[in-house]
Amino acid sequence: MPAAPRLVLVGPPAAGKSTLGELVAERTGAPFVDLDAVGDRYYGEVGWSVERLVERIAVVGRVAAEREWEPARAHAVRRVVAESPGAVVALGAGHTAYTVGEHRSTVRTALADVPHVVLVVPAADRDTALTELRRRSVASKGTDWVRDGHDLLAGWLDDAGTRALATTVLVTGTEAPDAAAARLAALLGGEPAGEAHGAVCDPGPGTAERSPRGG
């Protein structure tokens, strides 16, 4: 049994991390863990919860509340990675974006032994990606992620710390989720590259490129 998750998916909201994670897990026979779905049990270990976040947003606004919540998010990443050996894990956008270096370092250390940390984006071009993510967010969540004059979605997409964590950048483009998941499964060795419509680094409707992980 591996000591770390086989794959961790990171990226902005509406990038498709949870959908891809479930599909890759099915293809490879690995467990799937969505931190957004199980995070409250980890947040609670350090006195936080989504309910408390909502309460703090009402008092100090979304941006300030997100900053207050950073220690709990970093703690949750460390715990879910430790408890998910061999799994496919999807991290919500806020779990890799931090304003405080200490919390960023906690997450970087937690992910250091994960062989594949994949940043998922819908387009290589930043503005195209942001437009598509906004469209999806409005359609699926009813929000454009602009709060208190701050564009949270753009901040998550542009976050340099998130990109530094990634070993690979997966650009899904117009590719169907099944096809993107097949390429990721091939990356993990879960199926032959021929069945995955080409190796994960092949250019095409969606592309993937190696990203040197660092601080």
Side-chain angles (χ1 to χ4, degrees):
M1 174 70 71
R6 296 180 67 189
L7 169 68
V8 171
L9 298 169
V10 302
K17 302 180 296 296
S18 297
T19 298
L20 288 174
E22 287 187 297
L23 291 170
V24 173
E26 288 174 7
R27 284 178 172 273
T28 61
F32 173 63
V33 181
D34 186 344
L35 183 51
D36 279 347
V38 301
D40 248 3
R41 67 173 174 162
Y42 300 122
Y43 307 145
E45 293 172 349
V46 290
W48 272 87
S49 64
V50 172
E51 181 178 324
R52 181 183 173 191
L53 173 64
V54 172
E55 292 171 353
R56 293 301 297 155
I57 289 171
V59 174
V60 300
R62 180 66 186 245
V63 174
E66 287 280 347
R67 289 175 182 152
E68 292 180 358
W69 193 33
E70 285 191 10
R73 297 201 310 267
H75 172 80
V77 173
R78 182 176 63 80
R79 294 282 285 115
V80 77
V81 168
E83 291 192 348
S84 306
V88 173
V89 178
L91 301 183
H95 292 101
T96 55
Y98 297 91
T99 61
V100 178
E102 175 187 355
H103 309 318
R104 192 179 305 114
S105 294
T106 295
V107 172
R108 184 169 59 245
T109 299
L111 296 177
D113 292 331
V114 177
H116 302 288
V117 179
V118 177
L119 171 61
V120 182
V121 290
D125 176 74
R126 184 263 186 193
D127 290 342
T128 302
L130 182 59
T131 297
E132 176 61 14
L133 292 166
R134 187 105 55 205
R135 183 194 69 77
R136 294 180 188 178
S137 293
V138 171
S140 64
K141 301 179 185 296
T143 179
D144 62 4
W145 288 113
V146 176
R147 299 288 187 278
D148 306 329
H150 294 266
D151 191 338
L152 297 173
L153 185 59
W156 285 318
L157 177 62
D158 296 339
D159 185 66
T162 298
R163 288 188 174 269
L165 292 170
T167 59
T168 303
V169 179
L170 176 70
V171 180
T172 54
T174 59
E175 194 171 41
D178 276 340
R183 291 194 296 127
L184 286 173
L187 177 69
L188 302 185
E191 59 185 62
E195 295 179 16
H197 309 290
V200 72
C201 291
D202 279 355
T207 61
E209 60 184 31
R210 297 295 294 178
S211 174
R213 178 160 44 179

